[in-house]
Every structure is written in C-alpha cells, then in structure tokens.
Amino acid sequence: MSRLVEQFERLPGIGRKSAQRLAYYVLQLPQKEAEEFAQAITEAHAKIHYCKVCCNLTDQDLCPVCRNEARDKTVICVVEDPRDVMALERTHEFKATYHVLHGAISPLGGVGPEQLCIKELLDRIQAGGVQEVIMATNPTVEGEATAMYISRLLKPLGVKVTRLAYGIPVGGDLEYADEVTLTRALEGRSEM
C-alpha cells in the first residue's frame, strides 16, 4: 500500500492525502478494471512520443496539427508544454502551427537550453518558409528568459519574432492587478 501511495505522490499536484485516496480507489476497483487502468498507462507510455516536426505529443509520426494541410505553416507558436497547445486550440482562433519546448530555461532547476527542444525549432526555421515565430511561453521569469534566449537566436535568421500580449483577465478588476500586469496590458493594447 505504501509503495502505491508513494507512486501517486510523484504525480504533479498530488499530496499525501490525495495519493492515499487514489490508492484506496485503485484497490477497490474490480481486478479487470485495475488491469485496464495499468494497461492504459503502459500502452500510453509505449506508444506516445514527440511529433517529428513540432515536438508535440502524438502516437503517429506527425501530430494532428502538423498533418493538417489547412494550417498556416509560415507561423509557429512556441509553447512550453503540450497542455499549452491544447489551451490555445480550445480558442479555435489560432490556425497556424506550434512548437513545444517541453519546459523553460531554469538555471536554478538545472534546465538549460540543451534540455529543451530548441534545436528542432531552429532546424524548422532554417529549412525555410517560416515568416513569424510567436513566443507564447509563460509569463514567469523562466518563460521570459526562454523567450528572450530564443528570440536572440532567431534574430539573425531574418524571421519576425513576436510575443503574446499579457494583461488584465476578463472579469478582473484593475485595482487588484499588479504593476507588471498593468504595464503589459498598456503595452499590448489594440485599437477598437
């Protein structure tokens, strides 16, 4: 039991109590369902890998976005995580392509540029046809550092590099926004 709890605790966002609840839940499953659960994990781990173009997760050579011929291949949106692709896709507004870095530069966390999928991005751009790269890394110190690092690498390649605008969330109050958010909101304003 303790080994099962320890394994669940290793999952992000799962503390000791949640891990215990999950362990008890799994133990109460009928044998067949428990085997199907374990098989789903093993199968996903064996079959899912990086897309050979954008480094998103897929079970085929190319992810659905890279396979889609209707996508604008001249624009690449760079994100930190496959979950960021899913979030942007939920808007149904972005019709171009992505590139997943699988993290952000974090010297304190022991993550340097060589641990990220930056080389693959550079290879895509050097192959030609890309006109704009949108940096959509998170608005954290690590995300900003990663965006700056990549933009410096891309400058000599003659590609336009843009950054997502950040600002006040819909439904938010100005009085509760911090100074950096307000500054970004002013800088990223657009004409109505």
Side-chain angles (χ1 to χ4, degrees), residues 97-115:
T97 60
Y98 298 96
H99 189 83
V100 182
L101 297 172
H102 292 278
I105 296 171
S106 175
L108 294 177
V111 179
E114 58 282 347
Q115 277 92 27

Side-chain angles (χ1 to χ4, degrees), residues 65-123:
V65 172
C66 290
R67 282 195 314 265
N68 186 342
E69 292 298 321
R71 292 288 185 143
D72 180 0
K73 308 278 195 241
T74 66
V75 178
I76 298 174
C77 182
V78 176
V79 297
E80 292 180 23
D81 189 270
R83 292 172 293 193
D84 300 333
V85 171
M86 290 173 31
L88 287 163
E89 283 296 289
R90 280 194 306 266
T91 69
H92 302 288
E93 295 295 320
F94 189 69
K95 305 296 183 201
T97 60
Y98 298 96
H99 189 83
V100 182
L101 297 172
H102 292 278
I105 296 171
S106 175
L108 294 177
V111 179
E114 58 282 347
Q115 277 92 27
L116 304 178
C117 296
I118 295 173
K119 181 192 174 305
E120 294 83 350
L121 174 64
L122 294 174
D123 290 345

